[in-house]
Amino acid sequence: MTHADAFLAIADPNRRYLLEELRRGPKTVNELASGLPVSRPAVSQHLKVLLDAGLVSATAEGTRRVYAVSNPGFFRLNLWLDQFWDG
């Protein structure tokens, strides 16, 4: 992940909403889509961007995929941001 990828990923308000929902706990695409005015395939595309940026992870549970916040992805982002507070 590059920092630019993570910042581009969180620039979209729908993706920020998904991250806020996942911060409350792991969820499926259907659970996430119920709170957004976009289609389920659109939610899946937003999740792919977040996955590619390393900000969320996905785990297979039977035929479903459960998404969760990826702490290592946010840790790397926080490390980069923290350098601006130290100086």
Side-chain angles (χ1 to χ4, degrees):
M1 167 193 82
T2 67
H3 301 299
D5 294 337
F7 285 116
L8 286 173
I10 61 175
D12 183 277
N14 290 318
R15 291 195 283 268
R16 288 194 305 271
Y17 171 85
L18 293 173
L19 288 170
E20 289 167 10
E21 286 298 306
L22 292 173
R23 185 177 57 89
R24 294 179 179 93
K27 292 184 175 46
T28 64
V29 172
N30 286 336
E31 291 170 327
L32 291 165
S34 68
L36 283 171
V38 296
S39 67
R40 187 189 163 292
V43 171
S44 293
Q45 288 297 318
H46 285 302
L47 287 167
K48 180 170 178 1
V49 172
L50 294 169
L51 277 165
D52 291 347
L55 299 176
V56 301
S57 62
T59 306
E61 287 187 6
T63 59
R64 303 178 319 154
R65 292 185 83 185
V66 178
Y67 294 86
V69 168
S70 174
N71 290 333
F74 277 97
F75 180 72
R76 286 190 298 273
L77 196 55
N78 281 338
L79 282 177
W80 189 83
L81 288 169
D82 282 347
Q83 71 183 329
F84 295 99
W85 302 111
D86 293 339

